[in-house]
Amino acid sequence: MSSAADGCVLVIFGASGDLTRRKLLPAVYNLIESGHLPGGFAILGVARPAIDEAAYRAQMRERVADIEGEPLDAAKWKRIEERLHYISGEFNDVGLYAALAQTLGELTRRYAIPPNFLFYFAIPPDLFGTVARHLADARLTVEADGWRRVIVEKPFGYDLESARALNAELASGLQESQIYRIDHYLGKETVQNILAFRFANGIFEPTWNRRYVDHVQMTVGEEAGVEARGAYYDKAGALRDMVQNHMFQLLTLVAMEPPISFRAEDVRNEKVKVLHAVQPFDDGDVRQHVVRAQYGGYTKEQHVSPTSRTETFTAMRLMIDSWRWAGVPFYLRTGKRMRRRWTEIAVQFKTAPYMLFRETPVECTNPNVLALRIQPDEGISLSFDAKVPGPLERLATVTMNFSYAEYFKEEPSTGYETLLFDAMTGDQTLFHRMDIVEAGWQVVDPILRAWQRDTISALPVYPPNSDGPVDVDRLLERDGRRWRS
Ligand code: BG6
C-alpha cells in the first residue's frame, strides 16, 4: 500500500445490497480507523429502493453495527454518515445517470473533493454492461479533469466466451487501466504475504522448485453451505465459484517466477505465465484427475433445483509445464459444508535419504511441510523431524509456528480495505488483468465441458461436516500420497 489515497467519491451501484453492508461500508469504517482515508472523500450509494437519504443512512448504521458485532464508534461513524449520500433509480434509465452526474458535481463542490470517481459495481454481472454503457454515454468515464475507475465484482463471466463478451461490453467505454476486477482473496493479508515470504527471505526461494518440492496441496474448505445464495450458486458450482478465481490466484502466487519489480504489470505478467503453463485437461484427464461431488441435502436448499448436478466440492491434480515445476503435482480441493473452515497451502518437500537411520528404531523419515495458513488461525508453520530425547534413536515430527494474531496483534479486516485503498491510489497489482481471467477460464473450460457432456455418471454425494467424497483420497493415493487433515 502507498500511504496516501487520492481524494475521491466512491459511487456504489447496488448500495442497498448485501456486499455494501457486509464488506464495503465496514471496510471504509476500518480505513477511517487506520487513517488511510483521504480528507476529501464521500460515498454516493446508488440503488433501486426509493428511500430518502436519512432513511438510507439509518439503515446502513444499523446494518454495519450488526456486522461489526458491537456498537459503532460514534465519531468514526459520524465521519462516514456525514458524507454518505444516496440516490435511487433503475440502472437502465438514462435519467439516473443525469442525476448521478449532477449529484457528483454538487458533492465535489460542497466538500472540495477533486473530481475523481471510483465506481463500484456491487451488482449482478448481467448489469455490468448496462451500467458501464450508461456511464460512458453520460461521459462519466472520460478522464479529462480527474480519474475514473470501475471496480467489478466476480463472477467475471461464466466461461471463456462469456468473460470475453462481458469484457467487450466494459471495454466499449473504459480502458483496461480503468477496470479493477476484484478478487477479495487478494485483499487478505496472508495471501499478500505469500510474495513477501517467498521474495523477502533468502532461504526459501532456492528450494522452491522441482528439485526439492515433492508436491503442493491447496485447500479451501468451508463449513457453511450455500445459505441464501442458491440461485447464483446453482448456476456456478465450486469450480467457477472458487477455483477459477480465488484458488488460481493462490496458485499463481505460489508458482510464479520472481517478478522484476512489484509494479502491477510486472507482477501480473508473471502470474499469467503460470496459468498459461498449466497442462490442459482432455476428457481422460478430467475423469482421472478431477473430482466433483455434492453435499448431502444440497438439492433441498433454497433456490436450488431438486435435480441439480451442481458440484459443491471439487478437487484436481494440476501439472505446470515449466522448468521450475515440471513433474511436481499441485493438488487443489475446495468444498462447502466441510468439516471445518480451512484455507491452507502446504508445500511438501522431498524426504531426506534414509540410510543414516538403518539399524535404528527409525522406520522412515517424514517430509518437511511448510504450511501457509491463509485462514483462520492465520500463520505459517514448518514441520521437521527431531530426535526424541532419550538413549534410543527415535524421531518425532515437530513444528515451528508463526501466528499473525500473536505476533502482529492486528484488528481483523474484511480484506476490502486494501483493495479499496489500492483502487483509490491507482494500484492494479491486486486486481485481475483480463488476460489472467482468460487464462483461468482456459484451464477450467475443458473441465466444465467434459462435465456437461457427462450426464450419465452418478454425482458422488458427501456427508455434510466431512472431508468431502471418498474419491478425493484416490486422487492422491494413486500417486502414493495423502491429503493433510
Ligand atoms: C466467494 C464465494 O467469492 O468467496 C463464496 O462466492 C465463498 O461462495 C467465499 O463462500 C469465501 O470467501 P472467504 O473470504 O470466506 O474465504
Side-chain angles (χ1 to χ4, degrees), residues 443-462:
V443 176
V444 302
D445 262 16
I447 304 176
L448 290 169
R449 280 199 299 271
W451 285 352
Q452 210 173 11
R453 279 194 295 271
D454 175 10
T455 48
I456 307 164
S457 341
L459 182 67
V461 171
Y462 59 98

Side-chain angles (χ1 to χ4, degrees), residues 122-139:
I123 48 181
D126 53 358
L127 288 173
F128 289 171
T130 309
V131 176
R133 209 172 38 254
H134 280 290
L135 285 176
D137 290 348
R139 300 194 52 75

Side-chain angles (χ1 to χ4, degrees), residues 23 46 110 414-415:
K23 302 284 186 191
V46 186
R110 188 184 322 162
T414 65

Side-chain angles (χ1 to χ4, degrees), residues 18 39 80 95 102 133 151 201-202 206-207 245 268 330 376 380 426 477:
D18 201 48
I80 295 187
Q102 192 189 342
R133 209 172 38 254
I151 301 186
N201 297 293
T207 61
N245 37 65
R268 302 199 293 181
F330 284 72
I380 298 177
E477 280 163 8

Side-chain angles (χ1 to χ4, degrees), residues 117-191:
F117 306 137
L118 182 58
F119 299 108
Y120 201 116
F121 289 8
I123 48 181
D126 53 358
L127 288 173
F128 289 171
T130 309
V131 176
R133 209 172 38 254
H134 280 290
L135 285 176
D137 290 348
R139 300 194 52 75
L140 283 166
T141 54
V142 179
E143 298 191 304
D145 47 357
W147 52 252
R148 310 283 188 268
R149 295 174 191 148
V150 168
I151 301 186
V152 288
E153 270 290 334
K154 64 170 276 253
F156 201 89
Y158 184 76
D159 53 17
L160 181 59
E161 197 186 325
S162 57
R164 283 186 173 149
L166 174 55
N167 197 54
E169 285 194 90
L170 289 179
S172 64
L174 295 158
Q175 307 291 323
E176 177 69 24
S177 60
Q178 293 176 282
I179 306 173
Y180 289 64
R181 298 176 195 82
I182 204 165
D183 181 326
H184 79 282
Y185 262 60
L186 294 177
K188 294 179 192 285
E189 284 297 336
T190 43
V191 174

Side-chain angles (χ1 to χ4, degrees), residues 89-106:
E90 290 298 323
F91 295 131
N92 58 3
D93 174 13
V94 187
L96 174 67
Y97 300 86
L100 175 61
Q102 192 189 342
T103 313
L104 285 172
E106 282 165 19

